[in-house]
């Protein structure tokens, strides 16, 4: 009975996981094509990505779940261009990472297919769903683990949301500083170059006059 | 146990599905995203161009019968909502084909579903207590706060990228102009000298 309950719970959890993968936006990707998505996130934010691939079957003229051998290579780079996740998953997969620096993270997907016959000139259909921060939380799991009542779970969701909002605000402060530095840099550069160019103009003007005067005097024209 | 399981499943059913993606659109290319929707489902999407050239992109939405629901050229940002009148695959496409060498970075937020996000389905049919309804309104408010934060983050990214481009252009232009100044200044003198060195003999003869 206890083991049976555990299996049932595991089964239900698995069902939840797969159900959340089913309905999502999809796009087509070529065989050697690499599709990249950018996620600009504050630090200590979790991202969960679910994808599912389908291959076009010419005989049945429809898209069917991809064969076992076909997998997707997922590479995630952090804002400093350092690779924080680089793994190959099967035709269906789920990748998770947590950011440690705030900024633009790049998630790139490309298929690992080296056999040209698999694609048969067609395209691979990829269903992708990316959940960021608070949306990545699985509340059913949290409720079960911490044994929360409905009201407690609702409040917990509110706490998570507020947490995420606060992280985003901190990130905003950091970005505004960067923006201000760039603007001040531009301002200084414009100022300095204008002065230098004016001085160069005047200097060249004087040099031209003096040089030509001495040239004409030497030629006995003046 | 079964009740819990069923309600857990329902939990996922009633959540609003949505996907937010920021992707790069290379020049002269088109990128399409497809979504399979039921009949009478309301979907809304909004997009913003974050970087690249004039920060604009073509966008069009096509329904399963190949009718064009929305078609705008060279837009910087826009939003569109529609209630589907048939079941099928809806296509949202972005085109950068008018651009010859600038890549664009586009942010897309596609939301569909007609139920508000719920945590538990068990009390869905029964009335909510005051505490619960306060929680629901707080949740909605926080959702709009998060949305406005996303909006400002994108605008800030757009402005920051513009400012960085401006800095780059100021630097290159300044260096270029200085070089040009020197070249023209010295060039003029050399040319003038070359005029007089040829005619020196004839000028002396006429005076």
């Amino acid at each position: 009975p206890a083991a049976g309950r555990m299996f049932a719970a595991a089964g239900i959890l698995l069902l939840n996981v797969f159900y959340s993968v089913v309905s999502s936006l999809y796009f087509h990707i070529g065989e050697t094509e690499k599709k990249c998505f950018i996620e600009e996130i504050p630090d200590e934010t979790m991202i969960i990505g679910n994808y599912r691939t389908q291959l076009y079957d010419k005989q049945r003229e429809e898209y069917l779940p991809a064969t076992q051998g076909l997998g997707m290579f997922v590479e995630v780079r952090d804002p400093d261009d350092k690779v924080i996740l680089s793994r190959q998953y099967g035709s269906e997969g789920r990748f998770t990472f947590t950011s440690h620096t705030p900024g633009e993270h790049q998630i790139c997907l490309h298929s690992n297919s080296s056999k040209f016959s698999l694609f048969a000139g067609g395209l691979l259909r990829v269903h992708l769903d990316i959940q960021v921060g608070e949306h990545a939380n699985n509340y059913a799991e949290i409720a079960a683990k911490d044994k929360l009542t409905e009201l407690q779970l609702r409040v917990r969701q509110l706490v998570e949301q507020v947490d995420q909002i606060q992280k985003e605000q901190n990130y905003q402060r950091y970005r505004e500083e960067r923006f201000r530095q760039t603007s001040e840099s531009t301002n200084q550069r414009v100022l300095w170059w204008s002065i230098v160019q004016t001085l160069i103009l005047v200097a060249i003007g004087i040099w031209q006059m003096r040089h030509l005067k001495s040239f004409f005097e030497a030629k006995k024209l003046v | 146990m079964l009740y819990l399981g069923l309600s857990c499943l329902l939990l996922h059913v009633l959540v609003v599905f949505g996907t937010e993606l920021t992707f790069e659109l290379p020049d002269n290319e088109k990128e399409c995203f497809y979504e399979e929707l039921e009949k009478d489902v309301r979907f809304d999407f909004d997009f913003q161009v974050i970087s690249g050239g004039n920060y604009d992109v073509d966008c069009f939405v096509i329904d399963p019968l190949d009718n064009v629901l929305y078609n705008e050229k060279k837009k910087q940002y826009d939003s569109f909502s529609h209630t589907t009148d048939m079941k099928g695959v809806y296509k949202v496409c972005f085109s950068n084909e008018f651009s010859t060498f600038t890549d664009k970075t586009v942010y897309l937020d596609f939301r569909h579903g007609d139920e508000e996000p719920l945590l538990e389905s068990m009390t869905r049919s029964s009335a909510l207590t005051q505490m619960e309804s306060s929680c629901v309104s707080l949740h909605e408010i926080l959702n709009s706060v998060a949305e406005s934060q996303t909006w400002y983050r994108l605008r800030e990214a757009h402005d920051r990228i513009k400012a960085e481009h401006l800095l780059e252009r100021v630097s290159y232009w300044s260096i270029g102009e200085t070089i040009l100044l020197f070249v023209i200044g010295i060039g003029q003198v050399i040319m003038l000298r070359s005029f007089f060195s040829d005619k020196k003999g004839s000028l002396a003869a006429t005076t």
Side-chain angles (χ1 to χ4, degrees):
Chain A
R5 275 202 195 158
M6 219 173 70
F7 276 126
I12 286 161
L13 210 65
L14 225 67
L15 215 69
N16 279 334
V17 168
F18 284 128
Y19 194 84
S20 60
V21 179
V22 162
S23 176
S24 40
L25 215 62
Y26 65 84
F27 54 90
H28 294 126
I29 187 170
E31 194 161 350
T32 47
E33 219 183 318
K34 190 173 187 178
K35 283 269 158 82
C36 289
F37 299 95
I38 299 167
E39 288 291 333
E40 199 177 344
I41 45 176
D43 65 349
E44 304 308 321
T45 302
M46 183 163 75
I47 287 196
I48 294 181
N50 289 302
Y51 76 86
R52 189 165 64 95
T53 53
Q54 283 179 327
L55 197 56
Y56 189 68
D57 188 330
K58 270 203 172 152
Q59 291 161 337
R60 294 194 221 175
E61 286 190 354
E62 61 170 8
Y63 279 87
L64 295 174
T67 56
Q68 276 303 104
L70 189 66
M72 293 290 278
F73 200 79
V74 177
E75 191 186 56
V76 178
R77 287 177 177 270
D78 76 350
D80 305 318
D81 233 7
K82 203 174 59 149
V83 177
I84 55 178
L85 178 73
S86 177
R87 259 191 67 176
Q88 188 171 297
Y89 296 83
S91 58
E92 236 177 79
R94 181 197 182 92
F95 55 91
T96 310
F97 67 91
T98 305
S99 61
H100 297 291
T101 32
E104 279 188 8
H105 290 70
Q106 208 181 40
I107 301 168
C108 288
L109 298 164
H110 65 270
S111 73
N112 68 341
S113 164
S114 52
K115 306 168 214 158
F116 287 82
S117 60
L118 263 180
F119 271 68
L123 297 166
L124 190 68
R125 184 183 277 189
V126 181
H127 294 250
L128 183 64
D129 177 42
I130 299 179
Q131 300 296 330
V132 177
E134 178 264 327
H135 297 284
N137 285 331
N138 185 346
Y139 288 102
E141 217 180 273
I142 292 172
K145 192 174 71 132
D146 297 340
K147 294 189 185 44
L148 301 172
T149 67
E150 281 162 37
L151 191 60
Q152 284 176 330
L153 191 62
R154 280 187 198 271
V155 172
R156 180 64 178 269
Q157 190 193 35
L158 291 175
V159 167
E160 296 284 335
Q161 271 190 300
V162 168
D163 215 12
Q164 191 65 32
I165 287 170
Q166 194 179 35
K167 279 187 199 157
E168 185 80 35
Q169 282 185 325
N170 284 337
Y171 178 41
Q172 179 119 357
R173 201 184 310 159
Y174 158 83
R175 275 182 323 214
E176 191 275 338
E177 203 183 298
R178 233 184 89 180
F179 191 176
R180 195 172 5 106
Q181 277 175 355
T182 305
S183 292
E184 281 174 1
S185 219
T186 306
N187 187 27
Q188 261 191 351
R189 233 170 259 206
V190 165
L191 185 68
W192 196 72
W193 274 109
S194 305
I195 292 173
V196 165
Q197 276 182 16
T198 312
L199 289 174
I200 290 176
L201 249 182
V202 169
I204 282 189
I206 294 173
W207 174 81
Q208 276 185 335
M209 289 303 114
R210 279 176 46 185
H211 185 88
L212 281 174
K213 187 163 176 239
S214 65
F215 175 67
F216 286 141
E217 277 173 353
K219 299 276 180 202
K220 299 195 176 69
L221 292 168
V222 177
Chain B
M1 190 63 209
L2 191 66
Y3 199 30
L4 177 70
L6 220 67
S7 55
C8 279
L9 201 64
L10 279 163
L11 205 135
H12 273 274
V13 175
L14 301 170
V15 168
V16 170
F17 292 112
T19 314
E20 244 180 34
L21 286 176
T22 309
F23 59 95
E24 259 188 42
L25 193 57
D27 51 304
N28 271 321
E29 272 189 40
K30 191 171 79 163
E31 185 71 53
C32 288
F33 293 92
Y34 308 80
E35 180 81 59
E36 169 120 22
L37 296 170
E38 299 287 324
K39 189 166 138 75
D40 292 332
V41 166
R42 189 192 145 92
F43 71 87
D44 32 0
F45 84 94
D46 54 272
F47 70 91
Q48 269 195 53
V49 183
I50 304 176
S51 76
N54 276 327
Y55 304 87
D56 53 4
V57 77
D58 295 344
C59 176
F60 51 96
V61 180
I62 294 178
D63 75 353
L65 295 176
D66 271 343
N67 299 324
V68 177
L69 297 172
Y70 169 86
N71 187 0
E72 288 290 335
K73 303 256 169 224
K74 299 200 178 182
K75 273 281 205 179
Q76 292 196 349
Y77 57 85
D78 207 2
S79 57
F80 173 71
S81 50
H82 183 75
T83 309
T84 61
D85 25 56
M86 71 198 91
K87 179 181 152 126
V89 175
Y90 286 76
K91 190 159 98 156
V92 177
C93 289
F94 296 94
S95 163
N96 195 21
E97 282 156 344
F98 58 84
S99 170
T100 37
F101 54 86
T102 40
D103 295 351
K104 304 271 161 75
T105 307
V106 181
Y107 163 85
L108 165 71
D109 183 15
F110 191 95
R111 289 179 306 276
H112 67 279
D114 51 4
E115 289 280 329
E116 281 300 309
L118 279 181
L119 291 180
E120 306 85 30
S121 62
M122 287 190 251
T123 53
R124 220 186 121 241
S125 46
S126 62
L128 299 170
T129 67
Q130 252 192 338
M131 276 290 277
E132 284 175 346
S133 47
S134 307
C135 281
V136 167
S137 34
L138 269 175
H139 178 66
E140 280 169 20
I141 291 170
L142 289 179
N143 273 344
S144 60
V145 171
E147 251 176 60
S148 100
Q149 274 192 325
T150 303
W151 172 264
Y152 282 113
R153 185 188 74 221
L154 293 170
R155 292 274 98 210
E156 191 273 344
H158 170 112
D159 294 339
R160 183 172 24 94
I161 288 169
K162 249 190 183 162
E164 282 170 0
H165 279 162
L166 182 65
L167 181 62
E168 231 180 79
R169 274 185 297 194
V170 163
S171 307
Y172 289 148
W173 185 243
S174 305
I175 294 172
E177 237 187 84
T178 310
I179 293 172
L180 206 64
L181 260 177
F182 275 117
V183 164
I184 287 180
I186 297 173
Q188 279 180 335
V189 170
I190 291 174
M191 265 193 75
L192 268 174
R193 282 173 66 133
S194 71
F195 287 154
F196 287 98
S197 54
D198 290 336
K199 291 183 188 171
K200 188 210 168 204
S202 57
L203 263 170
T206 51
T207 47

